[in-house]
Amino acid sequence: MKKTIITLEDVWKIYVMGHVEVAALQGVSLDVYQGEFVSIMGPSGSGKSTAVNMVGCLDIPTKGRILLDGKDISHLDESDLAQIRGKKIGFIFQQFNLLPTLTALENVSLPMIFQGIPADARAARAEQLLTIVQLKDRMNHRPSELSGGQQQRVAIARSLANDPEVILADEPTGNLDTHTGENVLDFLHELNRKHKKTIVMVTHDPHLAKRADRIILLKDGQVVKKL
Amino acid sequence: MLRDYFFYAAKNLLKRKLRTWLTMIGIFIGIAAVVSLISLGQGMRNAILGQFETLGTDKLTVEASGTGFGPPGSTVIKPLTLDDRDAIEQVPGVELVVNRMIRSVSFEYHDIRNFEGITNLPEEDKERALVLDVLNVKLAEGKMIDSSDQGKVVLGSGFSRDTRYGKAIHAGNKVLIGGAAFEVAGVLKRSGNPFFNDIILMNEARFREVLNIEEDVDLLVVQVKEGADVPQVQANIEKVMRRQRDVEKGKEDFTVQSPLQTLATLDTILTTVQTILVGIAAISLIVGGIGIMNTMYTSVLERTREIGIMKAIGAKNSDVLLIFLTESGLLGMAGGLVGIALGVGLAKLVEVAGAAALGEGVLVAQFSMMLIIGSLLFSFIVGTVSGIVPSYQASQLEPVDALRK
Ligand SMILES: Nc1ncnc2c1ncn2[C@@H]1O[C@H](COP(=O)(O)OP(=O)(O)OP(=O)(O)O)[C@@H](O)[C@H]1O
Ligand SMILES: [Mg+2]
C-alpha cells in the first residue's frame, strides 16, 4: 500500500478582483504518495502554481480540504502554516529566490534559524548540503556571484535544510538553459531516489516531465488527466 | 536567533551605506546634542557645587543689600560695619563671625601699574583658619603669611604665570600696593575658581590702613555652632540686624543667606535651562525617528519578495516582525553610537575652549555611565519604536502575494 502524504479534496481558489472573480482552481482533487516524483503540467494560467502553493501551505483554499499527513491544514492560521512549511516542505522556485545579502551557506542555514537550530549544527548541515549539490567551494559566495544553475542548486540545498518530507519545485528549470536544466533535474532525481524525498514539480517541458513517475495535467483550474 | 537577525540586519544596513548614514543623521545630531548638553550641564553644576562646597552648609553670609554694581559692598547704600559684626557674634548658635573684604587696589611692579583685586586675612587664629579653609587655596611657592607679617602679601597664581607686569612675579619679589612697599611671601597654586588666581591676600590691619577703611565690612561669614538649627540662627541674626540697622521687617537693607539656598536657586535655574535645551535636542530625535520610519517603509517595500521567501521557508509572522524591528533598532542604536562619539567630542571642544577662557579645570564635562548607556538605550528605543508600524506591515504580508513581487 502506498502511503498518501498530501491530499487535495475538491479544492477551489477564487480570486476576487474588483467585480471580477477569477477561479484559479475549480474543484481540484489529487493525491501525492510518499516517495514519488510527480510532474504537474498544463498551459499558462491553468492554475499550476496556485495548486502547488496550496500543497505547500503557502496559500489556503477558498473551498475544499487539504490534508498533509492526514491532518487538515486548510483552516490553520499563518503561524501554524509557517511552522509546517518550515519543517515538512522545501520550496524551489523558478526565480531561485535566494536572499541577495546572504552567502550560499547563510541562505542554506536560514530555514534552520527559523526552526531554532543552534548555530554550529546549522553550519555543519548547510555545508554538508552544499557538498551534495557540489557547491562546497562556493559556500561563501553571494547569489550575485553565482550562475543561474549554481543559484538553483543552492536553492535545492536550502529546500533540504530541515529534512522535509516533500519538495515542491515550481518550474525549477524555467530560467535555465536546457543543459543546466537537465543538470538541476539530475539533482532532483537524486533527492527522490537516494534521499527518498517526495517531489512535486511544475514544468512546461514535456521532456523533463517524462522523467517523473507520474504526470498530472491541469487545464482551466481542473485536473484533466493523470498519467 | 536574535543574534542571527542582528547580523542579517547589519548586513542589510551595510549594503545600503549611504542611505543608512542619511537615515542616522537625525538620530546622531539629536543624541550628540543631548550628550554634550547634559555632560556640560553636569560639569557646570559640579563647578558651582565645588564653589559652595568650600563654604559648607553650616555657614551663613550677611550682606548689605543695595543696587551695588562692581565688587560687593563697594557701592551699596549702607555698608555693614564692625559693629554689626560684634552684634552678630552675640547671637546664640553663632560660633564665629568673619568679615570679608574684597576691593581693588593699585599694584605696581617693574614700573608698571595696574588695579588688582585684594582681600583681607583676619589676624585672629580661628577666623584666619576659617577664611583659608573657605578659600581653599594652596601654595605653589614661598610660604603663607602669618598674622604678624605686616609687610608681606601672598599673590594668586596669575601673577606668576603671565607677564602683565613685564615679567612674572615670584616669592621674594618686592611690589607696591596702594603706594606701600610689600614683599611677596608666596604664590598660590592655580585654582578652579578664576577669581582666586588674580587676588592679593593681605593681613586685615594693613589692609584697612592701605585702603583707608575704618569701620566698613563687605561681607560677614557666620560659622554656625555644631548642632545648632541653621534656619533658626538665620532668623535670629535677621532680628538682631534689623535692630542694629533700625529697619522694619520686610524692608531689610541687608540679606542673610545660607549657601544652601543660593545653591538650590542656582540649581533650579540650571536645571530649567538644561531641560529646555535637551527638549529642543529631543525634537531632533523625533525627526530622526521619522527618518528611520521612512527608511523602514522603503525597506519593507523593496524587500517584499525577501519577506515572501522567508515566509515560504518557515519564518513566522513574529520572526519577520523581529527581523525588521532588529534592523530599525540597530539603525537607531548605530545613530546613537555615532551621536555619543560626536557629543563627547563636542563637549570636550567646549571644555578646551572653556579652559582657555575660564582657566583649567573650571568646566569639566561629566560623562556619567548613565548618560552614555541611557543615550544608547534611548536611541535604540527610538529606532525600534519607529520601526514598529513598518515591521508590523511586513509581518502581515501574505506569502504568495509577497513572492509575486
Ligand atoms: N493573486 C491573484 N489575484 C488574481 N488572480 C490570480 C492571482 N494569482 C493567480 N491568479 C490567476 O489564477 C490563474 C492561475 O494562475 P497560476 O499562477 O496558478 O497559473 P500557472 O498555471 O502557474 O501559470 P504559469 O504557467 O504561467 O505559471 C491565472 O488566471 C491567474 O491570473
Ligand atoms: Mg506558475
Side-chain angles (χ1 to χ4, degrees):
Chain A
M1 241 305 265
K2 283 188 289 185
K3 184 183 168 229
T4 39
I5 184 159
I6 301 161
T7 305
L8 266 58
E9 273 180 19
D10 190 28
V11 168
W12 288 71
K13 184 71 187 182
I14 296 161
Y15 292 106
V16 184
M17 310 183 69
H19 300 293
V20 192
E21 286 192 352
V22 181
L25 296 180
Q26 305 177 23
V28 170
S29 295
L30 57 85
D31 292 301
V32 176
Y33 301 103
Q34 189 166 41
E36 73 170 343
F37 191 148
V38 189
S39 278
I40 298 181
M41 290 193 74
S44 186
S46 57
K48 303 184 296 294
S49 295
T50 310
V52 165
N53 289 343
M54 295 286 165
V55 171
C57 305
L58 263 187
D59 207 352
I60 44 173
T62 314
K63 218 175 84 186
R65 297 208 307 162
I66 298 171
L67 304 173
L68 183 72
D69 274 342
K71 192 179 157 211
D72 189 358
I73 56 161
S74 34
H75 301 296
L76 295 180
D77 67 16
E78 172 50 31
S79 268
D80 293 330
L81 290 176
Q83 205 63 34
I84 294 172
R85 284 197 296 269
K87 275 206 192 86
K88 302 199 165 181
I89 297 177
F91 283 96
I92 300 167
F93 304 91
Q94 182 176 349
Q95 293 88 349
F96 321 135
N97 281 350
L98 300 174
L99 297 198
T101 38
L102 302 184
T103 63
L105 192 80
E106 289 163 341
N107 263 294
V108 177
S109 302
L110 197 56
M112 295 185 262
I113 292 181
F114 298 133
Q115 297 304 318
I117 292 166
D120 36 352
R122 278 193 325 245
R125 170 139 181 95
E127 193 176 329
Q128 179 200 341
L129 291 172
L130 282 169
T131 310
I132 294 177
V133 295
Q134 293 168 9
L135 283 174
K136 191 175 188 300
D137 53 336
R138 297 294 162 94
M139 256 178 2
N140 297 317
H141 289 227
R142 278 169 220 280
S144 57
E145 298 157 353
L146 297 170
S147 72
Q150 288 169 333
Q151 286 186 57
Q152 196 60 304
R153 273 145 63 196
V154 174
I156 291 174
R158 180 180 66 184
S159 74
L160 291 168
N162 290 321
D163 198 19
E165 295 174 40
V166 187
I167 293 190
L168 303 177
D170 193 348
E171 302 192 40
T173 62
N175 277 10
L176 303 172
D177 62 60
T178 321
H179 176 74
T180 318
E182 287 280 359
N183 177 252
V184 163
L185 204 75
D186 289 340
F187 279 108
L188 288 179
H189 251 283
E190 191 182 314
L191 293 186
N192 179 242
R193 296 283 122 81
K194 238 167 91 184
H195 301 270
K196 307 283 176 236
K197 298 287 174 206
T198 310
I199 295 180
V200 179
M201 177 180 76
V202 174
T203 181
H204 278 291
D205 186 338
H207 178 66
L208 294 180
K210 266 188 218 127
R211 292 178 63 179
D213 303 327
R214 198 151 69 90
I215 299 173
I216 294 172
L217 207 59
L218 280 183
K219 205 180 165 208
D220 297 334
Q222 287 173 323
V223 179
V224 289
K225 222 194 275 176
K226 296 180 187 178
L227 299 170
Chain B
M1 195 169 74
L2 214 54
R3 207 173 128 239
D4 299 300
Y5 294 171
F6 198 79
F7 276 116
Y8 178 61
K11 276 190 175 187
N12 276 306
L13 292 177
L14 287 173
K15 191 181 168 195
R16 300 173 182 85
K17 283 195 192 68
L18 182 65
R19 184 202 290 179
T20 301
W21 277 106
L22 290 176
T23 305
M24 291 189 316
I25 284 179
I27 295 291
F28 66 62
I29 288 179
I31 291 287
V34 168
V35 166
S36 54
L37 285 173
I38 292 184
S39 63
L40 286 171
Q42 193 55 46
M44 210 176 288
R45 188 169 290 150
N46 284 4
I48 291 169
L49 213 73
Q51 299 306 320
F52 281 91
E53 221 157 57
T54 57
L55 265 180
T57 54
D58 57 349
K59 296 184 184 67
L60 296 167
T61 57
V62 184
E63 265 181 281
S65 56
T67 52
F69 291 99
S74 60
T75 57
V76 289
I77 298 157
K78 189 180 171 194
L80 300 175
T81 64
L82 288 171
D83 243 19
D84 296 333
R85 182 210 127 98
D86 295 339
I88 292 172
E89 204 144 48
Q90 302 308 314
V91 173
V94 171
E95 169 92 40
L96 200 63
V97 184
V98 182
N99 44 332
R100 305 292 312 123
M101 315 281 292
I102 300 158
R103 296 296 169 98
S104 69
V105 69
S106 80
F107 184 97
E108 192 177 331
Y109 178 69
H110 200 234
D111 289 336
I112 299 174
R113 226 171 95 183
N114 228 325
F115 278 89
E116 298 290 353
I118 183 165
T119 190
N120 66 314
L121 282 178
E123 276 91 6
E124 202 270 319
D125 282 351
K126 268 164 84 182
E127 294 181 16
R128 194 181 187 85
L130 183 75
V131 169
L132 290 176
D133 180 44
V134 165
L135 294 183
N136 193 28
V137 289
K138 295 179 184 70
L139 276 181
E141 52 177 286
K143 44 184 202 177
M144 189 47 79
I145 46 176
D146 61 42
S147 46
S148 60
D149 280 333
Q150 295 305 330
K152 293 181 180 172
V153 289
V154 169
L155 300 181
S157 67
F159 292 93
S160 70
R161 280 171 173 269
D162 58 35
T163 52
R164 66 186 104 167
Y165 291 99
K167 55 183 185 180
I169 307 174
H170 292 289
N173 289 153
K174 303 264 189 288
V175 297
L176 284 179
I177 298 173
F182 285 89
E183 186 190 327
V184 177
V187 177
L188 300 177
K189 274 192 183 152
R190 196 160 184 186
S191 161
N193 186 336
F195 172 73
F196 292 143
N197 291 330
D198 293 315
I199 199 82
I200 305 162
L201 299 179
M202 189 184 283
N203 282 320
E204 184 158 346
R206 276 300 274 154
F207 182 95
R208 288 187 182 277
E209 279 172 30
V210 169
L211 284 135
N212 196 21
I213 302 165
E214 290 185 356
E215 277 283 297
D216 293 3
V217 172
D218 293 342
L219 171 79
L220 291 170
V221 178
V222 179
Q223 165 83 61
V224 177
K225 272 204 176 92
E226 210 179 307
D229 179 15
V230 179
Q232 184 57 51
V233 174
Q234 183 174 358
N236 289 342
I237 292 175
E238 275 166 3
K239 209 192 295 173
V240 167
M241 283 297 290
R242 274 197 294 275
R243 197 167 347 108
Q244 274 283 327
R245 294 166 70 91
D246 197 21
V247 290
E248 285 169 40
K249 197 177 167 98
K251 293 189 178 159
E252 287 93 345
D253 56 354
F254 63 91
T255 57
V256 182
Q257 272 194 312
S258 72
L260 216 57
Q261 281 171 355
T262 319
L263 187 64
T265 318
L266 265 172
D267 198 53
T268 316
I269 295 170
L270 213 62
T271 307
T272 312
V273 171
Q274 206 179 2
T275 309
I276 292 169
L277 289 176
V278 169
I280 294 170
I283 294 175
S284 167
L285 286 174
I286 294 174
V287 175
I290 293 170
I292 291 184
M293 200 185 290
N294 181 49
T295 296
M296 290 313 294
Y297 269 121
T298 316
S299 213
V300 169
L301 278 181
E302 276 176 355
R303 278 152 59 199
T304 300
R305 194 183 179 83
E306 279 184 43
I307 295 164
I309 298 168
M310 288 194 283
K311 288 196 158 191
I313 62 175
K316 294 188 287 291
N317 291 358
S318 57
D319 291 319
V320 175
L321 183 77
L322 216 57
I323 285 170
F324 279 87
L325 274 185
T326 310
E327 192 167 318
S328 69
L330 188 64
L331 203 50
M333 200 158 73
L337 222 57
V338 178
I340 288 170
L342 226 62
V344 169
L346 208 67
K348 283 282 171 204
L349 222 64
V350 173
E351 199 180 292
V352 169
L358 304 170
E360 202 82 44
V362 177
L363 182 61
V364 180
Q366 296 292 318
F367 308 102
S368 63
M369 212 56 200
M370 260 269 288
L371 177 62
I372 304 297
I373 292 175
S375 305
L376 210 57
L377 203 69
F378 191 71
S379 55
F380 176 72
I381 290 170
V382 168
T384 310
V385 168
S386 309
I388 287 177
V389 179
S391 305
Y392 181 75
Q393 281 190 358
S395 76
Q396 295 301 308
L397 288 172
E398 290 294 337
V400 257
D401 295 337
L403 273 171
R404 230 191 302 274
K405 291 283 154 45

